[in-house]
Amino acid sequence: MQSPDLSGTKRPPSAARRVRRSRVQEGVPYPLGATWDGRGVNFALFSAHATKVELCLFDLNGRRELERIEMPEYTDEVWHGYLPDARPGTVYGYRVHGPYEPAAGHRFNPHKLLLDPYAKALVGSLRWNDALFGYRIDSRKEDLSFDRRDSAPAMLKCRVIDPAFTWGEDRAPKIPWERTIVYETHVRGHTMRHPLVAPVNRGTFAGLAQHEVIEHIKGLGVTAVELMPVHAFIDDRYLVEQGLRNYWGYNTIGFFAPDPRYLSIPFVNEFKEMVARLHDAGLEVILDVVYNHTAEGNERGPTLSFRGIDNASYYRLLPDDPRYYINDTGTGNTFNLSHPRVLQLVLDSLRYWAGEMRVDGFRFDLATILGREAHGFDPSSGFFDAVRQDPVLARAKLIAEPWDIGPGGYQVGNFPPGWAEWNDRYRDTVRAFWRGDAGRLPELATRLSASGDLYARRGRRPWVSVNFVTAHDGFTLHDLVSYNDKHNQANGEDNRDGHSHNLSWNHGVEGPTSDAGVAALRERQKRNLLATLLLSLGTPMLLAGDELGRSQRGNNNPYCQDNETTWIDWSAIDEDGAALAEFVRELIAIRQAYPVLHRNRFLTGEYDAELDVKDVTWLTPAATEMGPEQWGDVHARCIGALLDGRAQPSGIHQVGADATLLLILNAHHEAVPFRLPEVVGGSAWLCLIDTAAPRRNDPPTVVSGAEYEVTGRALLLFALKPERCTRQTLQSLAELIQRESHGG
């Protein structure tokens, strides 16, 4: 298709009324974006294929275009200019000229106002309109047609910021990986129904920074708050037309700007204040980031930023037909990290959030995309190599969602050293075991041991395995034990969306029940799942609200439910919810108090002849070691794990001094008598956790060699009572756990 003749095209009325004439200087090509230097603002925009770039200035509300300025210089594929009279607060956007040749991968259209990819703040909101598209939606030529309507009235705009902020004595908590416990939450959903948060602050960074909100999170004992996407994102048009919104935020349009809906005031420093307050509470901040695709979708999507700036550079296009996009993400497009300028943008964004905004780590959505080269996924890709050598990012916590829908997209265990990974194998195995599925013991033992089959190579450590049983994507913990099937009708897709393979169990009744027996069993199963998670080797991740029994009424894909379906209802916490939260505090306190539960070495079960010890011994209910016959028994549903504190805790070959623990998991529906083993160093076992009796004030002590009746569907944790243990020793241990449970 030939480029359209734009010479006779009318400019919108706002352009015709322009009277301002700003002073313009050459400026510099670096840094990219709009940079205030104390005297003026430098503007720099990368586009390899543009023929002209216009900087558009607007009034403070972004409603009226005041002036268009042709960028005066073009250096190394960067268009740049300097406005000595511009100041922080200046509202702007770009119009980029060039060929409109979709068949060649070019989609320039200067009638479309474009967001600066490096914009640090956005103004207004996007109002869906056909003018946002570079082609005429009603044309028979589809995306090969050309639309001359001005999109500015419907578009978001960019705002120049002054990054100055007084951090005071802020210090990053720097929690060691082996001590890390992640708490995944949503900025909006966490506080929208919090009675102690002022209405104006609910659903914002300011709300999350409120003392009472932080105290709950800190009081659980978790060490890191992982926020679902906060980068500026778009509500999909088809959702808006149904009265829904993109609640989760995996639809990014700006990688530097926080989404305006999370700001109670129009200043991005609100985010910094939140970080400072979380740091002051000893909590790290991890951002869920989406660098694999953008909100512009496929060839029929809108022209909002990257597509109109340089489509052929920013996106992966089909080599033999660049009109179309490679869709390894399932969202219509794939960001092209093989291009050096696109790779630079992602790295600049990460450095900005880790440096200027002081976040402590990142969880990467569909992270396989980041390692895709022309030949497929590569753990030595340009992105991974660049991150590894970067002095800022090398100190950040990096967590991969290690899959996408592209060919060879499932890459669990294949990310490079320094990266942690979401472990869906852990999730599925633990769910299936507690559901009562047959033949799960061998894999359960591997998952409880930090999945060494996946990660124990290249010097990687157990913390690499980010263990979870629930996350934002899927059932909540309460729904996992309350529904056999998904109930996503409210999403408007006839319940076709969301996974159907949930490994869930309703325990005899679908959804809410008045049956006391069913309700009690569900509560015990919640405790079983939480205890398994928090007592496994690896990095545990909790879903916010699970500690309170939050339900989404069976919706396992509430990505578009920005309402009471997803918001935590703090005022409706009942006795069971309060008890469950206290149980989580106790579990985390025990985990942190016993080094053997967060050792930085994989459990192997191998015998050390010199030390005469195994790090873990897997036991049958008869207290005998599991052998091939027992591992192969598909009907067995009860197992014990003896974690010997004498095993070497580090690479130094020496006897350890940790406490010895015994973990028993019984997924059988009936009680199982379990003989407590006789172990060197002690003659009795102190029961720390029994999910069938979680509120006992006086935990029992059981003599070694005696049988203990393990309730059906229950988990127990015992600590070996040292031979010379006194009442004072037990009191000291109780005080230690108490301190841990209160953040001491």
Side-chain angles (χ1 to χ4, degrees), residues 156-321:
L156 290 155
K157 281 82 177 180
C158 313
R159 191 193 299 276
V160 178
I161 71 165
D162 182 349
F165 181 76
T166 302
W167 285 97
E169 297 182 358
D170 176 74
R171 296 290 183 274
K174 295 183 179 179
I175 307 297
W177 257 116
E178 62 270 19
R179 286 272 188 171
T180 298
I181 301 173
V182 178
Y183 185 76
E184 186 194 35
T185 194
H186 189 285
V187 172
R188 186 166 169 82
H190 201 92
T191 62
M192 280 299 293
R193 304 182 75 184
H194 201 298
L196 299 180
V197 175
V200 69
N201 291 333
R202 290 176 184 171
T204 69
F205 300 124
L208 198 60
Q210 187 157 318
H211 172 75
E212 292 83 357
V213 175
I214 292 178
E215 279 301 297
H216 170 78
I217 299 172
K218 176 181 172 62
L220 291 174
V222 300
T223 68
V225 177
E226 181 179 303
L227 301 179
M228 290 180 66
V230 301
H231 291 174
F233 63 93
I234 298 299
D235 291 319
D236 315 68
R237 188 177 194 176
Y238 76 92
L239 291 178
V240 173
E241 291 172 348
Q242 295 182 73
L244 300 171
R245 300 180 67 180
N246 190 318
Y247 172 69
W248 283 353
Y250 294 97
N251 204 30
T252 306
I253 196 59
F255 297 115
F256 292 80
D259 194 275
R261 74 193 77 186
Y262 298 150
L263 295 168
S264 64
I265 55 177
F267 300 104
V268 299
N269 280 352
E270 182 178 327
F271 180 89
K272 296 180 180 179
E273 292 175 10
M274 178 198 68
V275 171
R277 290 181 182 274
L278 289 168
H279 280 180
D280 188 55
L283 295 165
E284 293 184 317
V285 179
I286 296 172
L287 297 187
D288 193 338
V289 289
V290 186
Y291 295 113
N292 55 78
H293 74 281
T294 79
E296 292 185 303
N298 62 16
E299 66 279 359
R300 297 191 180 188
T303 297
L304 308 175
S305 180
F306 311 96
R307 172 175 284 134
I309 293 171
D310 196 341
N311 184 69
S313 295
Y314 277 111
Y315 294 114
R316 292 187 184 274
L317 308 177
L318 290 178
D320 56 347
D321 193 352

Side-chain angles (χ1 to χ4, degrees), residues 33-227:
T35 306
W36 161 248
D37 63 8
R39 297 181 301 275
V41 179
N42 188 79
F43 294 88
L45 179 75
F46 158 75
S47 180
H49 300 98
T51 57
K52 183 171 74 171
V53 172
E54 292 177 302
L55 173 67
C56 302
L57 302 182
F58 292 82
D59 62 15
L60 290 179
N61 295 319
R63 298 194 182 106
R64 186 165 62 93
E65 186 174 341
L66 303 175
E67 185 176 5
R68 292 188 192 179
I69 301 167
E70 185 174 340
M71 298 290 267
E73 291 293 336
Y74 182 56
T75 304
D76 295 334
E77 299 182 335
V78 175
W79 302 81
H80 55 93
Y82 184 85
L83 274 60
D85 299 320
R87 295 290 184 270
T90 298
V91 178
Y92 72 100
Y94 288 108
R95 297 181 189 273
V96 181
H97 298 251
Y100 187 83
E101 299 173 353
H106 300 306
R107 295 178 180 270
F108 294 98
N109 187 334
H111 302 279
K112 309 307 167 185
L113 187 75
L114 306 174
L115 295 177
D116 180 358
Y118 279 75
K120 305 300 192 303
L122 299 183
V123 177
S125 60
L126 184 138
R127 298 184 300 279
W128 280 107
N129 186 291
D130 288 355
L132 293 169
F133 295 78
Y135 65 97
R136 296 199 66 86
I137 288 183
D138 56 356
S139 172
R140 292 182 179 179
K141 295 182 179 179
E142 299 180 334
D143 62 300
L144 297 178
S145 63
F146 187 80
D147 187 275
R148 289 178 168 80
R149 286 171 290 185
D150 181 23
S151 68
M155 267 296 291
L156 290 155
K157 281 82 177 180
C158 313
R159 191 193 299 276
V160 178
I161 71 165
D162 182 349
F165 181 76
T166 302
W167 285 97
E169 297 182 358
D170 176 74
R171 296 290 183 274
K174 295 183 179 179
I175 307 297
W177 257 116
E178 62 270 19
R179 286 272 188 171
T180 298
I181 301 173
V182 178
Y183 185 76
E184 186 194 35
T185 194
H186 189 285
V187 172
R188 186 166 169 82
H190 201 92
T191 62
M192 280 299 293
R193 304 182 75 184
H194 201 298
L196 299 180
V197 175
V200 69
N201 291 333
R202 290 176 184 171
T204 69
F205 300 124
L208 198 60
Q210 187 157 318
H211 172 75
E212 292 83 357
V213 175
I214 292 178
E215 279 301 297
H216 170 78
I217 299 172
K218 176 181 172 62
L220 291 174
V222 300
T223 68
V225 177
E226 181 179 303
L227 301 179

Side-chain angles (χ1 to χ4, degrees), residues 427-699:
R427 175 199 63 198
D428 292 350
T429 300
V430 171
R431 287 185 177 191
F433 172 77
W434 284 115
R435 191 172 69 166
D437 290 9
R440 298 292 174 166
L441 293 189
E443 187 166 9
L444 177 71
T446 302
R447 304 298 154 233
L448 296 178
S449 305
S451 299
D453 61 327
L454 301 173
Y455 304 117
R457 54 181 180 270
R458 302 186 70 183
R460 302 179 83 186
R461 297 292 185 173
W463 54 258
V464 166
S465 178
V466 176
N467 301 329
F468 63 103
V469 291
T470 56
H472 69 272
D473 186 3
F475 281 140
T476 64
L477 181 67
H478 179 84
D479 291 354
L480 184 66
V481 300
S482 304
Y483 294 90
N484 282 348
D485 304 304
K486 62 183 181 181
H487 296 268
N488 300 351
Q489 288 83 359
N491 296 352
E493 300 180 43
D494 297 323
N495 206 35
R496 294 189 303 270
D497 61 308
H499 289 292
S500 297
H501 183 63
N502 294 293
L503 297 169
S504 61
W505 179 30
N506 66 15
H507 297 83
V509 180
E510 187 75 355
T513 180
S514 58
D515 187 312
V518 171
L521 181 54
R522 287 176 176 177
E523 291 301 315
R524 186 157 79 247
Q525 288 284 56
K526 291 182 198 176
R527 294 191 291 270
N528 290 334
L529 290 160
L530 287 168
T532 305
L533 173 67
L534 290 165
L535 300 178
S536 296
L537 201 60
T539 300
M541 185 186 78
L542 288 167
L543 174 63
D546 275 357
E547 77 276 15
L548 304 169
R550 180 177 72 90
S551 173
Q552 293 172 168
R553 299 190 290 275
N555 193 325
N556 75 348
N557 187 40
Y559 74 101
C560 56
Q561 299 297 323
D562 187 7
N563 50 49
E564 294 181 357
T565 301
T566 52
W567 301 342
I568 298 175
D569 187 358
W570 296 93
S571 62
I573 299 171
D574 58 14
E575 183 180 350
D576 286 336
L580 193 61
E582 184 58 37
F583 183 69
V584 170
R585 293 186 190 98
E586 183 181 1
L587 283 170
I588 293 177
I590 289 173
R591 178 185 177 89
Q592 301 290 38
Y594 286 96
V596 72
L597 292 174
H598 54 260
R599 277 188 174 180
N600 209 12
R601 296 175 65 82
F602 286 98
L603 300 176
T604 66
E606 295 179 0
Y607 176 67
D608 187 316
E610 185 176 341
L611 300 181
D612 189 28
V613 69
K614 287 185 176 184
D615 54 6
V616 60
T617 303
W618 299 100
L619 300 175
T620 69
T624 58
E625 186 169 359
M626 295 277 289
E629 183 178 351
Q630 288 76 30
W631 286 118
D633 183 358
V634 297
H635 301 294
R637 289 174 173 81
C638 184
I639 192 171
L642 179 64
L643 304 171
D644 198 320
R646 297 172 300 152
Q648 64 182 102
S650 70
I652 306 299
H653 194 69
Q654 60 185 15
V655 175
D658 294 347
T660 292
L661 301 180
L662 174 65
L663 179 65
I664 300 174
L665 303 93
N666 178 25
H668 198 276
H669 67 278
E670 295 181 343
V672 173
F674 202 106
R675 186 175 301 279
L676 303 192
E678 299 182 39
V679 178
V680 174
S683 58
W685 294 92
L686 177 67
C687 183
L688 301 178
I689 294 290
D690 183 349
T691 59
R695 302 181 188 180
R696 287 189 300 201
N697 295 322
D698 187 19

Side-chain angles (χ1 to χ4, degrees), residues 12-23:
S14 59
R17 290 196 299 266
R18 288 183 289 123
V19 294
R20 289 178 40 161
R21 290 292 184 272
S22 297
R23 291 190 297 155

